[in-house]
Structures are given as C-alpha cells and as structure tokens.
Amino acid sequence: MVTSAGNVLPSSPARTRFAPSPTGYLHLGSLRTALFNYLIAKATGGQFLLRVEDTDTKRTVADAEDRLYGDLKWAGLQWDEGPDIGGPYGPYQQSQRTALYQQHAEQLLQSNHAYRCFCSSEKLNELARRRAKLGIPSDYDRTCEGLPVPQSDERASAGEAFVVRLRMPPKAPEYIDLVYGSVGRPNHSRKAYNLGEALYEDPILLKSDGLPTYHLANVVDDHHMRITHVVRAAEWMSSTPKHLTLYKAFGWKAPEFAHVGLLQDSSRQKFSKRKGDLDIRRFADEGIFPEALLNYVALYGWSHTNKSDVFSLSDLTNSFDLKFTKGNTVVEPHKLMYLQKKFAAKYISEGGREFQTIVDRVFEASRQEFENPAWHHPQESLPGYLSGDELRNLIASVLKVTAENYTSPKAFFDNYRYFFYNEPLPSKGSNPRLIELYATSAALWPHLRVVNSNLRQLPPAEWTDGIINQKTQEIVNEVSSALERIGDESHKLDEKAVYKSIQSYLRLAVARGSSGPPMHTTMSLLGREVSLRRLDELADLLASQFPEQPQS
C-alpha cells in the first residue's frame, strides 16, 4: 500500500470542480480552493467545473450566487462547465438534480447500505442533550437500523416522515490523501467510555423534505460529472471516510483527495463566508489586482522552488504541482501589499491594458474626492488639471515615476494629492517638517531666495526633469560657495548638508512636505507656473517668520 503523499501532477487531463454553496460570499479561503482546483485542471490540460450546491435553502443569501459568478470572473478563474454556460454533465445546480439523488438513495436502501430513520427531532435532540452531559459525541444510536424492511416500507408509504441514513461499516475505510498520505480511522462502532452509549455516525443522506445532504449530493455529482481530483479544506477530512463508504456502496471509483490546511486570521480563527471574513468583493473595490490576490492565496498551502514569490496566473499554471503544505496558516496582510506593488510596477512598465485600468481607477477616485461635499479646498484645485484628458495624463505620468509604491487608487490619491490641488502651507507649529526646516536651515535662509530666483531663470521650454536637476545642483554649488566666503563657523555647512537642506526646502514648498518622486521630477510634472508659485508662497512665509533676516 502507498502510504505517502504524492506531489506530481496526474499524467492525464484532470477534471476538477469548485462547488460552493450560496450561503455567503466568496472569501479568501474559498478563493484558494477554487484556484487550486483550477490550476490542477489547467496544468494538465483538463477541465475546471463550477457547481452550485444550493440545497440549503434556509441559509441561502439572495445575491450570493450572482456575486459568486462575478467574483470568480473578476479573479480570472473562468470555468469550462457550469450553471451559466452548461456542459455535458449538467445541470450544474444541485437544486435541479433532486430526482437523481432520490434515485441513488433508493438504490442504497435496496442494497442494504442505507436505512430509513423515523426518529423525531425531539428524540434526537434529547439524545444529543444526554450525550452532551456525558461529554461524548452526539452520534446516532441506530434505533431504526434494525427495522424490518417491510415495516419500514409500510411506515414510509403511510406518509410517516423519515430520513435516509448511511449504514457505516464497523471500520471506516482508509485512504491516501495527496497531502497527508495514508489516513485511517479507528473502529467505527464503539462504546463511549464504557457508559453504555453505542455511537454510530450513520450520516443522513436524504432529509425528510426529500432533499439531499452534502454527503450524498457531493458524491453523486462528483461521480456523474467525472471528477478525478478534489482539493478541499482539511476540515472535510473527517467526512472523507463517509464519502468513500458511499463510493464503495455504489461500486464507483473515488477521485483523488487533497486536503489543505485552513487559512486563519491573526487570532487563529478560520475565515468564514457567513461572517463576511475578507469578502473578495472588498478586495476588488479597494483596487487590489486579481493576479496579486491569486498569487497571495496560492502561497498559503502550496510550496514552490522558484526564487521569486511573484507569479502571474499563467506562471502559476506553468509552475504548479501538488506540493501542498500541511497544517493551517495565518494570513499576513503585508504580503498582499508586497505583491500588489510588484504587479503594479509590472503593469505600469508594460503600459498595456492593466496600466490603463489603473489610470481609470485613480481617475475615478480623484473625481470622487473633488466632487465630495466635504472637500476642503475646491478653490485650490490646479487650473486645467480637472479636465478629463489632462487629469488622466497627469495621473499616468505620476504613476510611471511612483510605480513601485502603488497599492490602491485611494492610497495613490492620498499620497500624491499635492499633484492635484494646492494644499495650503502649514504653520510652523503644526508641521514637523517645517519645524525641521527652521531648525536645520537657519543658516541658509538669507540664500533661499536664490533658489527661487535661479529656478525662475529657466524658460518654459527648459522646464524639464534633467535641466531642473542640473540647475538645482548649480544652486547647491552657489550656496556652498557663499557660505564658505562668509567663513562663519557657527553657520558652516558642507556641500552635502547644503544639498539636503535645499531639497527639504523644495519638498516643503512644492510637495507640501509629503514624500514622493525626486523634487526635480515632481517640479517637472507640476510645471513651471505651479512650482514657482509654491516656492514663492514658502519664501513669503519664511520671510514673515524671520523679518529680521535680510533677503538676498
């Protein structure tokens, strides 16, 4: 017997499926399940199916199914067969396959692998309460298992409510899991702590309303849809022996199973769609790239030997194997931001469709800010920049010089808002960078007007990144020479310190103290008129703060 897990992809095309229930929205854990099944199919030239398990009508969320389709398509996980596109083994919604499940339940009754249970819910609840007090599982006691078949048939024909239970064997079947290797279960029929309580799991297959439970529908559908491989969360490992018992009872070959660890939050609680944990739509709304999110979830539960953790969907397909990792994993949000920045830099450098999408998303975010009634300084918006093409062009230009720091449209606008409107200069007491400028550049104040006047000498045609940078260095040299001529040891600064002080002055004036691209690049993008006006505003403010200081 093979007792170890394998990690090699199947040699023939695999058929896999993602089978969510519309009782909540797609979250990180379920997205990863869909991705792993998708990758096995695509890496082997097989088919990836979408099946909606919608028999739990009491907990169904009204728009969950439509959201499911939209979220999977947004992520780029297109299915080959499914409810909306059909296929040779449909229908692909369990609510439309009830007759098939009932036929198979009847087949199990006829072969004595299942039996009718007429126990009332009150009796079962009392059984569960008694066993809870004893601290033992609430498994069934097989009250109805020994009913003669004619008597069971007669009670059913008379309209008495019943469920159909699977008769589990004394020893649950072992199986080879692609992650955990050989998996077995102890003797299934057992006495609990010698308390006289016989425990039998005997799961319900068909409910009293005629609808199937997960166990029956899942097995019947996987067989009839010819599923060869199933990747699902490790929490389903305890159900696998029941499913294998069903496969054996029907005389069917079971698919290969791979149970991957759960994704957990920082408190080590599993993600749940019913609690809305990390709903995929939230990531989309925040501007996270689909490929970044897929890359992110793929790294939790799958091991690779590549030098880089950055994978496009195509890269994942080409690199994928069955090297799943054991155990649950705590999700680290900072890893997603790392991948987001990597994909942003890639998309922006390529300048293709994805780059235009980023520009469009930032454009919409900026327009929403400008149109917000709570906007503080609408009158300060830069003239001309709010027209569509000019704003888009500015956004594209700033993106190209800040590509490696991009995380989302809103963060981009917040970080580089000084490109889009004129923030008023802060007062000395409210801005640490202004305070730092006062403290470190007092010796330069008589010469700061030189910065303004020398930059003003550049005509509009020469207001370019390279020429501004060159001019700035000339100003540094000029100020350094002037300080050297003064010869005042208390105000002595070397050329490096002068350069740093002038850059701080430029950043405070032009970028209002915010971080961003080099100042020669920032001034080039903002243009001559805006840059010089901001420089004059800061010079005037400093003059009012130091009226006793001479101006050059």
Side-chain angles (χ1 to χ4, degrees), residues 170-459:
K171 186 176 186 338
E174 296 181 354
Y175 66 98
I176 305 301
D177 189 87
L178 295 176
V179 179
Y180 290 91
S182 181
V183 179
R185 293 283 299 278
N187 192 306
H188 197 77
S189 174
R190 59 201 187 275
K191 294 288 182 179
Y193 308 102
N194 297 318
L195 296 174
E197 295 280 339
L199 305 179
Y200 302 90
E201 287 188 79
D202 288 4
I204 295 174
L205 302 179
L206 204 67
K207 295 178 288 187
S208 58
D209 59 5
L211 292 177
T213 62
Y214 170 81
H215 302 299
L216 178 62
N218 181 273
V219 168
V220 169
D221 287 345
D222 280 352
H223 170 72
H224 284 283
M225 294 179 184
R226 302 188 180 184
I227 300 302
T228 63
H229 292 76
V230 173
V231 180
R232 58 188 181 186
E235 61 186 333
W236 291 108
M237 288 185 74
S238 61
S239 296
T240 305
K242 302 168 190 168
H243 299 167
L244 292 174
T245 298
L246 280 170
Y247 279 107
K248 185 176 181 180
F250 286 123
W252 297 339
K253 180 181 178 181
E256 299 278 356
F257 290 99
H259 291 92
V260 294
L262 301 176
L263 296 185
Q264 298 178 320
D265 60 22
S266 57
S267 61
R268 292 197 171 275
Q269 298 296 310
K270 78 164 188 172
F271 292 124
S272 169
K273 64 184 176 183
R274 297 185 185 109
K275 293 191 299 182
D277 286 336
L278 297 187
D279 178 359
I280 298 305
R281 183 62 57 87
R282 193 199 82 184
F283 291 102
D285 291 343
E286 290 179 356
I288 298 298
F289 304 125
E291 283 192 306
L293 192 61
L294 291 177
N295 190 167
Y296 180 57
V297 297
L299 297 177
Y300 293 110
W302 173 64
S303 175
H304 68 87
T305 58
N306 290 29
K307 293 181 179 180
S308 172
D309 275 346
V310 182
F311 293 87
S312 66
L313 183 55
S314 176
D315 294 333
L316 284 172
T317 303
N318 294 331
S319 303
F320 197 70
D321 53 28
L322 303 183
K323 292 179 182 176
F324 297 117
T325 58
K326 298 178 182 179
N328 299 335
T329 307
V330 175
V331 171
E332 300 175 354
H334 73 271
K335 186 69 173 181
L336 177 57
M337 288 300 100
Y338 166 80
L339 294 170
Q340 178 79 349
K341 290 179 180 180
K342 291 295 184 182
F343 277 97
K346 174 178 178 288
Y347 295 153
I348 294 170
S349 66
E350 291 173 347
R353 177 175 56 84
E354 289 86 357
F355 174 53
Q356 291 305 315
T357 299
I358 297 173
V359 172
D360 291 342
R361 293 293 301 271
V362 173
F363 177 82
E364 290 303 319
S366 64
R367 296 293 292 186
Q368 289 174 13
E369 288 284 349
F370 289 135
E371 294 169 3
N372 188 341
W375 183 251
H376 297 298
H377 306 287
Q379 74 279 7
E380 297 289 345
S381 299
L382 298 181
Y385 281 172
L386 294 186
S387 65
D389 290 343
E390 288 176 309
L391 179 56
R392 288 179 189 275
N393 291 339
L394 178 61
I395 290 169
S397 297
V398 177
L399 281 167
K400 289 175 182 178
V401 297
T402 60
E404 293 186 357
N405 293 318
Y406 180 89
T407 56
S408 71
K410 187 178 186 308
F412 175 86
F413 183 83
D414 289 343
N415 291 337
Y416 305 113
R417 59 195 310 131
Y418 57 88
F419 279 105
F420 307 108
Y421 87 102
N422 288 323
E423 289 186 289
L425 277 166
S427 65
K428 175 183 176 181
S430 65
N431 189 294
R433 296 191 70 117
L434 186 58
I435 294 172
E436 179 185 1
L437 177 63
Y438 288 150
T440 61
S441 304
L444 286 184
W445 169 234
H447 306 278
L448 289 180
R449 288 284 190 183
V450 174
V451 177
N452 295 26
S453 59
N454 282 15
L455 287 173
R456 196 178 300 278
Q457 293 173 7
L458 292 177

Side-chain angles (χ1 to χ4, degrees), residues 110-162:
Q110 295 297 324
S111 65
N112 205 36
H113 287 101
Y115 60 92
R116 296 187 187 94
C117 172
F118 296 91
C119 293
S120 66
S121 58
E122 291 77 14
K123 177 190 182 304
L124 295 176
N125 289 336
E126 175 56 33
L127 177 66
R129 282 193 294 269
R130 184 175 78 245
R131 290 183 169 179
K133 291 180 180 179
L134 295 173
I136 60 177
S138 59
D139 294 341
Y140 186 52
D141 61 3
R142 283 191 171 176
T143 295
C144 296
E145 189 265 344
L147 285 176
V149 173
Q151 182 181 344
S152 174
D153 291 344
E154 182 178 351
R155 292 175 67 176
S157 298
E160 186 173 348
F162 67 89

Side-chain angles (χ1 to χ4, degrees), residues 51-71:
R51 185 174 72 223
V52 178
E53 300 190 342
D54 57 349
T55 58
D56 190 352
T57 55
K58 291 182 179 180
R59 294 190 300 177
T60 295
V61 176
D63 64 338
E65 186 174 330
D66 289 338
R67 280 276 299 273
L68 170 69
Y69 298 148
D71 290 344

